[in-house]
Amino acid sequence: CSALKNGGTDAQKAEWLPRVAGGEIACFGLTEPGSGSDSAGLQTTATRTDNGWVLNGTKRYITNSPFAKVGLIMARTSKENLPKNAHVSAFIVPMDAPGVSIGKSDKKMGQSGSHIADIIMEDVHVGESALLGGELGKGFVYAMMSLDNGRMSVGAAATAYARRALDSAIRYATERKAFGEPIANFQLIQQMLADSEIEIYAAETMMADVTRRADAGENVLRKAAAFKVFASEMCGRVVDRVVQVYGGAGYLAEYDAERFFRDARIYRIYEGTTQILQLQIAKHMLREFNAFA
Ligand SMILES: Cc1cc2nc3c(=O)[nH]c(=O)nc-3n(C[C@H](O)[C@H](O)[C@H](O)COP(=O)(O)OP(=O)(O)OC[C@H]3O[C@@H](n4cnc5c(N)ncnc54)[C@H](O)[C@@H]3O)c2cc1C
């Protein structure tokens, strides 16, 4: 939605925003079999015709694609890797367009309530109006900017997930007894609970700060990335401690802790892996330093 809202033409917004806001599911197609972190290396092509574009290629791991009515699909309009990703544009593609097919939902480690699949495009014809923003490359810039929102959402999800997992560990620690008393009485258990609380509080504070700045219109690229990295890594540490607090029960599918451990793992991977975001943060720090040196 945010790429459409910020980068769409008036006609594109008028057509799609009410539909998506009204509940029609949309998906975001950037990743491909041969390119994930290296998104500029994507191979899906959009070739100009007399009255629009023809798309060919495969998108991989696309969340919601099994249910989506529309996809924002990144495709290359030039064979050369032009600077600043000028070879990539974003296209609004109805998922029922002839030539679009959706693969089988992939089996994943966790988050089984969320579905991902391939989107396969074979000679998919779309009109001129499908090019987001109406200009080559423009919509892609907005699509990339929308990733800041995605990173804040993943950071927020990871923070809340850690909080929910910690609540569960507190409950378990007060109910489970060892050596004749609740395990919550043991200081080494308390340390795991306290360390988790401290880290969750730090992530909640980052969330309040970065979302306030985003609402005020500030460029939050670096801070959104920092929040996503911290919150997702923190969530991984918290769910690991929660399994430990549960002891043997933490390893059993019958209890919540096992699912927390599996579900949380993806936060460090999608919307930019930890490593890619670390590189991005460092790049901006160094660029800024050079600018002021
Ligand atoms: C459940 C799920 C949902 C997803 N939903 C979507 C979606 O809706 N839309 C979409 O477009 N994509 C989606 N993705 C794809 C996701 O964004 C990518 O998987 C992710 O960006 C990583 O890309 P990759 O899998 O190709 O890993 P790779 O890029 O192959 O990376 C593999 C490893 O190498 C590291 N690495 C790569 N390059 C460097 C480097 N230069 N320096 C240091 N380390 C590096 C990475 O950090 C990672 O650890 C989803 C994936 C999953 C699993």
Side-chain angles (χ1 to χ4, degrees), residues 49-292:
T49 63
D50 291 344
N51 56 357
W53 300 88
V54 176
L55 276 79
N56 278 290
T58 298
K59 296 292 172 182
R60 179 136 295 169
Y61 309 145
I62 306 305
T63 302
N64 283 338
S65 58
F67 319 105
K69 295 273 189 236
V70 62
L72 192 62
I73 301 292
M74 313 312 139
R76 59 169 54 235
T77 53
S78 160
K79 287 200 174 99
E80 290 158 53
N81 282 339
L82 301 174
K84 299 194 170 171
N85 295 337
H87 54 286
V88 187
S89 285
F91 293 86
I92 303 168
V93 181
M95 289 291 103
D96 60 359
V100 174
S101 52
I102 308 295
K104 243 179 24 177
S105 278
D106 294 299
K107 281 195 172 169
K108 306 192 264 60
M109 178 190 288
Q111 303 221 339
S112 35
S114 168
H115 292 257
I116 63 172
D118 282 2
I119 300 176
I120 301 121
M121 290 161 290
E122 290 168 310
D123 290 334
V124 178
H125 288 257
V126 288
E128 279 293 344
S129 61
L131 177 64
L132 185 69
E135 284 172 39
L136 283 180
K138 183 177 169 192
F140 180 68
V141 172
Y142 283 98
M144 291 298 100
M145 282 162 62
S146 75
L147 291 177
D148 285 345
N149 275 346
R151 282 162 195 165
M152 286 186 282
S153 320
V154 172
T159 305
Y161 207 78
R163 171 66 68 199
R164 187 234 186 286
L166 178 59
D167 285 349
S168 161
I170 295 169
R171 197 171 319 112
Y172 188 83
T174 53
E175 287 166 5
R176 172 75 183 168
K177 288 197 170 127
F179 299 95
E181 54 184 316
I183 60 169
N185 289 355
F186 303 135
Q187 288 179 335
L188 291 176
I189 294 286
Q190 290 174 8
Q191 181 183 28
M192 287 193 274
L193 300 179
D195 281 347
S196 300
E197 174 64 24
I198 292 163
E199 292 200 276
I200 294 170
Y201 176 52
E204 286 170 348
T205 306
M206 288 174 91
M207 176 163 61
D209 180 66
V210 71
T211 51
R212 181 184 53 75
R213 288 173 189 271
D215 281 348
E218 203 178 299
N219 179 343
V220 293
L221 189 146
R222 202 200 299 176
K223 288 190 164 55
F227 169 50
K228 196 269 186 183
V229 169
F230 181 79
S232 61
E233 296 285 336
M234 175 280 292
C235 186
R237 290 190 293 274
V238 168
V239 293
D240 186 67
R241 290 184 199 118
V242 171
V243 169
Q244 200 66 16
V245 168
Y246 269 72
Y251 201 67
L252 266 64
E254 194 183 328
Y255 292 85
D256 282 345
E258 183 261 359
R259 180 168 64 82
F260 296 153
F261 191 76
R262 288 185 292 102
D263 280 355
R265 192 60 185 84
I266 189 60
Y267 295 135
R268 290 151 66 189
I269 296 171
Y270 59 21
E271 284 316 307
T273 65
T274 291
Q275 292 71 37
I276 292 302
L277 297 182
Q278 284 168 327
L279 293 174
Q280 201 176 77
I281 292 165
K283 188 172 90 181
H284 282 85
M285 288 165 68
L286 294 168
R287 192 183 285 165
E288 196 174 278
F289 180 77
N290 286 336
F292 290 109

